[in-house]
Amino acid sequence: MKRRLWVGILASWVLAVPAAAAERTSVMSSADGTDRFDGTLSVRYDWALRRSAIGREFPCDPTVPGCPATPATVSKPELDATRVTHTLDVDARIGLYHDLELRITLPVVLSDRTDLSFADGVDFTNSQIDDGSVRRLFEVPHDGPSRTGVGDMRFALRWAPLAQWRQPRHPTLLLAVAYTAPTGAPRRPGNTAVGEGLHQVHVEVAASRLWRFVEPYFALHGDLRFPAPGRTLFRNYDDATQTRVGPGHVLGMALGAEWFPWRTVRADGKAERFARIDTGVSATYTFRGREYTDLFEALGTSPCAGDPACVGTRSNKNMAAYDRTLAGAQGGPASMDGLVDVASYGTIGAWIGAGVQPIPNLEIGLQFLYRHETAHLLTNADTGKDSDAGNDTIEWVNASGRNEYNPVFNSEIDEPGRRLRASGADIFGVMVRISGKL
């Protein structure tokens, strides 16, 4: 009898719980009857560890020990990269009207550092990057600077045209657009700034539906990224020949569910006290573009840039300089600034988190996440664009007297057989958040 009584009480509570949105689809709302204003102020701490393996293409000849019987270009392991970041985000959410929210995020980077070391089995005797002489591309090991400061602020409008807490028979539907402004000082070789120097627009559509004690959700999103003139390393040096200027755009999706082992609601249907568990997976695709990578610090501060004797194995030009040696060459950076043309790649991820709101005005959350970035080329600039009809050749000086080479193409790292490749990256993260609610 006691067991049946408890089952009955639990079933009655589960079936009677009004709906409210999952965290992914939750929106602050104001001017609602007795609830005239909604708002939260959150402080979130994020720790992230990124580990990646980097190799370099090598023309493998059968006469070289370990190479296949036929000539082939292989990727030889070179480097291990480790990046550790500590970030503190201050997040304000304000209900403007019925299920319409303004969100403002101020990111403060406490520390961001990338270090490079030789991969297992690699040293000065067999490295294609640092052989211990003046002919090295950059020094290994390479300890990057510890970057700190205020990053790029984010402003978002989030609207729920359908809200399950208002209409229990309907799911919650979220439409969101966010803009990240280049407010932080841009990252440059040798400085300690943390800004990206980009205008970024994030668009998202998400939906969730509470079924008793579980609320599954699904989201589709896209990110458009454009260089901010005057505040960025991303520059267009020649419209006719430079094929990539800014980072690639991003498409992604997320699928997850929140589980509520304990939950109470107010008379209007909004959650008041609860404990939740959040699990989910994600996938994104980043299109080809010009980006900051794990090699940014090392390439941008290469000692080879200021040493005329530091010439490559395939030419008599400085390894860290762009091809600027013949008549007709268009302008561009004199030496590598750390940015490189990156091939497209995918990222998959998963997370598990928990949150508790023991009183109506306070929530504490904890989340663990993992992401894996697929293998891709890190240095993949096109040679240039042929502008002579029927010529089909990239020339220093074409029939019109114009240089056809890409101003950011560097044969030492972008030419097939010399390119640098990421074998994949693993990212581990921990997030702790505390939110105060009005």
Side-chain angles (χ1 to χ4, degrees), residues 102-119:
L102 171 65
R103 179 179 294 187
I104 302 174
T105 303
L106 175 67
V108 179
V109 178
L110 305 177
S111 177
D112 181 359
R113 175 169 168 164
T114 302
D115 296 331
L116 302 176
S117 60
F118 283 126

Side-chain angles (χ1 to χ4, degrees), residues 57-402:
E57 290 183 338
F58 174 68
C60 213
D61 186 271
T63 61
V64 178
C67 284
T70 57
T73 297
V74 300
S75 182
K76 177 180 174 292
E78 283 286 336
L79 302 169
D80 289 329
T82 301
R83 180 181 182 183
V84 179
T85 58
H86 301 266
T87 307
L88 193 68
D89 287 349
V90 181
D91 192 50
R93 301 172 60 187
I94 303 169
L96 300 179
Y97 194 58
H98 297 323
D99 305 310
L100 177 63
E101 172 190 310
L102 171 65
R103 179 179 294 187
I104 302 174
T105 303
L106 175 67
V108 179
V109 178
L110 305 177
S111 177
D112 181 359
R113 175 169 168 164
T114 302
D115 296 331
L116 302 176
S117 60
F118 283 126
D120 289 343
V122 180
D123 55 29
F124 296 115
T125 63
N126 59 3
S127 173
Q128 298 185 88
I129 291 177
D130 186 357
D131 62 1
S133 73
V134 294
R135 296 166 67 90
R136 61 193 172 198
L137 185 59
F138 51 78
E139 292 178 299
V140 182
H142 184 278
D143 297 331
S146 180
R147 297 184 173 275
T148 61
V150 177
D152 298 330
M153 292 186 65
R154 180 181 171 114
F155 306 86
L157 278 176
R158 296 160 54 85
W159 176 49
L162 293 176
Q164 194 180 358
W165 74 270
R166 290 183 187 277
Q167 303 163 300
R169 296 180 180 274
H170 294 284
T172 297
L173 176 65
L174 170 74
L175 305 177
V177 60
Y179 167 63
T180 301
T183 54
R187 297 165 58 189
R188 298 183 186 276
N191 75 4
T192 58
V194 297
E196 297 291 318
L198 298 169
H199 297 290
Q200 303 181 63
V201 178
H202 173 89
V203 179
E204 181 169 334
V205 178
S208 68
R209 180 75 163 87
L210 180 65
W211 300 91
R212 297 187 176 182
F213 57 85
V214 60
E215 186 166 7
Y217 57 85
F218 177 73
L220 295 173
H221 64 85
D223 293 273
L224 304 176
R225 303 185 288 176
F226 307 97
R231 290 189 58 81
T232 184
L233 284 179
F234 299 96
R235 293 180 55 191
N236 187 354
Y237 297 98
D238 192 295
D239 286 325
T241 59
Q242 186 172 340
T243 55
R244 300 289 184 275
V245 178
H249 303 311
V250 180
L251 288 176
M253 55 83 64
L255 176 66
E258 286 191 0
W259 311 77
F260 296 94
W262 169 60
R263 189 164 176 271
T264 64
V265 296
R266 304 183 321 201
D268 61 5
K270 293 184 179 180
E272 186 173 45
R273 294 177 174 85
F274 58 82
R276 61 178 178 82
I277 299 172
D278 182 16
T279 59
V281 294
S282 65
T284 62
Y285 182 82
T286 303
F287 291 86
R288 183 180 175 186
R290 193 161 171 79
E291 293 192 11
Y292 291 100
T293 68
D294 294 328
L295 297 173
F296 170 71
E297 311 286 7
L299 289 175
T301 58
S302 170
C304 200
D307 184 0
C310 185
V311 297
T313 57
R314 296 188 174 187
S315 66
N316 60 359
K317 72 179 185 67
N318 184 285
M319 291 169 63
Y322 291 91
D323 297 322
R324 299 284 181 273
T325 57
L326 300 182
Q330 67 269 40
S335 60
M336 285 188 287
D337 56 10
L339 297 181
V340 287
D341 281 30
V342 175
S344 58
Y345 59 92
T347 306
I348 57 174
W351 63 86
I352 181 169
V356 60
Q357 185 169 300
I359 58 176
N361 303 106
L362 178 67
E363 181 184 358
I364 301 172
L366 174 67
Q367 185 182 72
F368 301 92
L369 65 86
Y370 168 76
R371 294 195 302 270
H372 177 75
E373 200 174 89
T374 60
H376 60 283
L377 287 168
L378 293 176
T379 55
N380 191 38
D382 294 326
T383 309
K385 292 181 180 179
D386 176 36
S387 57
D388 289 348
N391 189 321
D392 199 27
T393 303
I394 306 296
E395 300 172 297
W396 282 107
V397 182
N398 64 14
S400 302
R402 181 171 178 78

